[in-house]
Amino acid sequence: MRNVSLRAKVGFNLVGFTLFFVLTLIMAIGFGFEPIYYSIQKHNMVTAARSISEIYGVRGPTGFDEINEITHSVGTDIFIVDQGVLVYSSGPDKIFESGSSEGDKKDRQRIKANMPQHIRIIASLLNGYKPQDADLGKVMYYTDENGEHIRFFSLITRMGENAYVIISQPLAPLRENVRIVQRFILFFGILWVVVAILGALRFSRRLTEPLDELKSIATDMAHLNFSRKWNDVSPVHDEIDMVGKSLNILSSRLATALDELQQSNAALQQQLDKANEIEYMRKSFISAVSHELKTPLAIIQGYAEALEDLRDVPQETQEYYCYVIRSETRKMDGLVKDLLNLSRLEAGRLHLELTDFDFGALMDEAQYRFKGPAEEKHLRLTWLFPEEMPVYGDPGRYNIIMNNFLSNAIDYAKEGGEIRVTVVEEETDYMVEVFNQGEQIPEEYHRRIWEPFYKVDSSHSRDGKRMFGGHGLGLGIVASLLALHEQRYGLRNEKDGVTFWFTVAKPR
């Protein structure tokens, strides 16, 4: 199907309607104007005859002035014959004389004319002829007999006893008037068609320009471009302006909906990525935990079997085997406790037992507990904290926090490096900082390492088999416990290592 623009349709329709109207008008003038015009003239002749009869019947010759006015208004030839005498004629070439002496019946009359039908009727009336009643009051059509074929309308009406009025209307002026009107209509029609074509082009352009704008806006909207808006500068608000405003509302709502959908999709994608990552971390964690449980179990099993076979083994060797079994058992116990703590934190079943206690005593216990592991790596442990350090919190949970921070510090510190524990007193709390000399942690991991199951591969650390954060549980548990205490925590890279820090509230 061929595409036709709306502008072309509007222009073609306007021009077509104009041509149809002009042609219809010309045909109506050609075929209908003449009969109607003749009918009106006949009616005017009958009306004029009736008016003249009334005037002449009442006033006689004194009413000729009024009859002249009727003659001029109708535009016909009017003759009055009374008692065989032509007493009135509207023709310019009439001359009549009526006898002044009674009994003189031969009036001298002279009529300058070519003797058409109505003149012969007048002559017959002057000679005493009386028309038939059937011929009175009717407008008759006839042609003269002198070869010029001049057509006339003629009317004869009786006004009284032997008094008649004769009205004659030549058709030549009527036909000429019809032709003049037709030529005028034709000329005006052609002019109107030209004007209509120019006007149609201009009107269609003005009409379709806003529609083209709306089409362009709709096309942009179909391509998800909602930046364009409808701006109507016309003072008249029509249906097109209403459509444009509705399109603006639709565009704004679609833009908002699209933005919300994109944001939702982005959020869902982030959640999906997070869920996939958590699932991956869980699988990695299960694998790591399985390995961590399998290794000490295998060691315990091996040393236990060795103890059964070593009946004559020296006491020193037996004590060493027992030490290894206890050490591996403690590792498994710590892992199981971490799992239990994480499970309680995620389920919201872990409750704090808040009280006032001396954080310095907890630090003293930590010094004793981690002295051996630090010496195994030849680490220098430095403790800087006040003698009295009253705080408010759950002592058992803070013990877990300190154990995790110190374990990570020892694990991550380089061989022969330094671990420094510093306490800074602030207005409402204490800030505890645990520094370990070693490799820095990349900035992109600073937020993620506090998530459960998340581990940063420490390929730069001394022990390539270990991973920062152990099983990926320690720092996650620390973050949850500190959040329950409504305390702050974080880390920062130092020039030669990393500092983990957290706050402890002072007594209330």
Side-chain angles (χ1 to χ4, degrees):
M1 182 179 292
R2 184 179 179 183
N3 294 327
V4 181
S5 65
L6 181 61
R7 181 179 301 178
K9 289 181 180 180
V10 173
F12 289 154
N13 288 335
L14 288 176
V15 172
F17 173 77
T18 302
L19 288 174
F20 174 77
F21 175 76
V22 171
L23 292 176
T24 302
L25 183 60
I26 292 175
M27 293 179 65
I29 294 296
F31 296 99
F33 180 76
E34 187 172 353
I36 294 175
Y37 188 66
Y38 289 167
S39 176
I40 293 174
Q41 287 300 110
K42 291 179 180 180
H43 175 73
N44 291 338
M45 291 173 66
V46 173
T47 303
R50 186 180 302 113
S51 299
I52 292 172
S53 298
E54 293 176 357
I55 294 172
Y56 188 78
V58 175
R59 301 181 59 185
T62 59
F64 285 165
D65 291 337
E66 295 184 27
I67 294 175
N68 285 335
E69 294 179 1
I70 296 175
T71 300
H72 295 153
S73 63
V74 177
T76 58
D77 293 334
I78 299 177
F79 305 90
I80 297 177
V81 178
D82 189 4
Q83 302 299 327
V85 178
L86 182 62
V87 296
Y88 178 83
S89 173
S90 63
D93 296 331
K94 68 178 187 318
I95 297 177
F96 75 92
E97 296 177 1
S98 57
S100 58
S101 60
E102 185 178 349
D104 187 3
K105 295 181 179 180
K106 290 184 180 182
D107 297 324
R108 291 179 298 167
Q109 302 168 4
R110 181 161 53 93
I111 301 174
K112 295 182 181 180
N114 292 323
M115 295 296 290
Q117 180 66 24
H118 64 282
I119 298 300
R120 289 196 294 272
I121 293 173
I122 294 173
S124 300
L125 292 174
L126 294 177
N127 293 326
Y129 171 75
K130 293 183 179 181
Q132 300 293 327
D133 291 340
D135 296 332
L136 298 176
K138 294 182 178 180
V139 178
M140 295 178 289
Y141 172 80
Y142 64 92
T143 305
D144 65 337
E145 298 178 355
N146 60 1
E148 294 184 3
H149 303 288
I150 299 176
R151 296 175 176 82
F152 291 88
F153 280 141
S154 179
L155 171 65
I156 180 171
T157 301
R158 179 184 291 119
M159 296 188 297
E161 187 65 24
N162 294 326
Y164 301 91
V165 57
I166 301 94
I167 301 178
S168 177
Q169 174 68 56
L171 296 184
L174 298 181
R175 298 180 66 86
E176 183 63 24
N177 291 338
V178 172
R179 284 192 293 270
I180 292 173
V181 172
Q182 288 177 337
R183 286 194 296 269
F184 173 77
I185 293 298
L186 178 61
F187 172 77
F188 183 76
I190 294 174
L191 180 62
W192 174 251
V193 168
V194 175
V195 175
I197 292 174
L198 298 177
L201 294 176
R202 181 177 178 83
F203 174 74
S204 62
R205 183 170 59 253
R206 293 185 60 183
L207 178 64
T208 56
E209 279 179 353
L211 295 178
D212 290 339
E213 178 71 13
L214 291 177
K215 175 186 175 183
S216 179
I217 294 175
T219 302
D220 288 343
M221 290 175 59
H223 291 84
L224 303 182
N225 178 17
F226 304 106
S227 60
R228 293 184 57 188
K229 300 296 181 182
W230 165 258
N231 295 317
D232 186 20
V233 297
S234 175
V236 180
H237 301 291
D238 52 11
E239 289 80 358
I240 295 178
D241 182 58
M242 295 174 62
V243 172
K245 292 180 178 178
S246 299
L247 200 63
N248 287 345
I249 296 174
L250 177 61
S251 176
S252 300
R253 292 181 177 177
L254 287 177
T256 302
L258 182 61
D259 291 340
E260 293 177 353
L261 181 60
Q262 290 175 345
Q263 293 175 2
S264 300
N265 289 340
L268 289 175
Q269 187 62 44
Q270 291 178 356
Q271 293 177 5
L272 180 60
D273 294 341
K274 184 80 175 291
N276 292 334
E277 186 176 2
I278 291 176
E279 182 64 21
Y280 173 77
M281 290 190 296
R282 286 182 184 273
K283 291 180 180 180
S284 300
F285 167 74
I286 292 173
S287 176
V289 169
S290 299
H291 176 74
E292 292 292 336
L293 289 175
K294 180 180 178 181
T295 300
L297 285 174
I299 295 174
I300 292 172
Q301 182 180 358
Y303 278 95
E305 292 175 353
L307 285 174
E308 291 178 353
D309 297 334
L310 295 177
R311 296 180 179 87
D312 299 328
V313 175
Q315 182 68 26
E316 182 180 351
T317 302
Q318 293 181 13
E319 291 177 357
Y320 175 73
Y321 285 0
C322 292
Y323 168 77
V324 172
I325 292 173
R326 288 195 302 271
S327 176
E328 296 301 324
T329 303
R330 285 195 298 269
K331 290 180 181 179
M332 289 191 299
D333 180 66
L335 178 59
V336 172
K337 287 180 178 179
D338 284 345
L339 288 172
L340 290 175
N341 286 329
L342 180 63
S343 176
R344 291 171 183 171
L345 285 169
E346 289 182 344
R349 296 196 303 268
L350 185 64
H351 301 287
L352 301 178
E353 296 181 3
L354 301 175
T355 184
D356 295 335
F357 69 96
D358 183 12
F359 199 84
L362 188 148
M363 301 280 275
D364 290 336
E365 293 179 6
Q367 288 185 67
Y368 176 78
R369 188 183 311 119
F370 288 95
K371 181 179 180 181
E375 290 178 350
E376 290 181 4
K377 290 185 67 174
H378 308 288
L379 300 174
R380 299 187 309 275
L381 276 174
T382 303
W383 300 82
L384 301 174
F385 58 92
E387 294 182 0
E388 294 184 2
M389 190 176 171
V391 296
Y392 178 78
D394 188 328
R397 305 309 175 189
Y398 270 114
N399 186 46
I400 295 174
I401 293 171
M402 281 301 301
N403 286 342
N404 276 286
F405 276 127
L406 289 172
S407 297
N408 285 331
I410 293 174
D411 181 57
Y412 198 68
K414 68 180 181 178
E415 186 79 16
E418 180 187 7
I419 294 177
R420 184 171 58 252
V421 180
T422 306
V423 176
V424 179
E425 184 177 1
E426 296 181 339
E427 183 177 355
T428 59
D429 52 36
Y430 293 96
M431 177 177 289
V432 181
E433 298 180 345
V434 180
F435 165 78
N436 64 272
Q437 190 176 15
E439 296 292 333
Q440 296 181 342
I441 299 177
E443 290 286 342
E444 59 267 24
Y445 299 131
H446 282 199
R447 294 178 60 88
R448 302 299 308 277
I449 60 176
W450 304 101
E451 299 176 6
F453 310 111
Y454 190 83
K455 295 184 293 183
V456 180
D457 187 3
S458 182
S459 59
H460 302 289
S461 64
R462 179 188 62 82
D463 187 358
K465 295 181 180 179
R466 295 303 298 267
M467 307 185 78
F468 183 80
H471 310 293
L473 296 176
L475 292 180
I477 294 173
V478 166
S480 299
L481 290 176
L482 288 171
L484 284 176
H485 282 85
E486 298 181 353
Q487 296 301 307
R488 297 170 290 126
Y489 59 90
L491 69 98
R492 64 179 179 270
N493 285 326
E494 305 291 354
K495 182 178 180 180
D496 54 349
V498 180
T499 296
F500 286 83
W501 61 268
F502 64 94
T503 60
V504 187
K506 292 182 178 181
R508 298 181 178 179

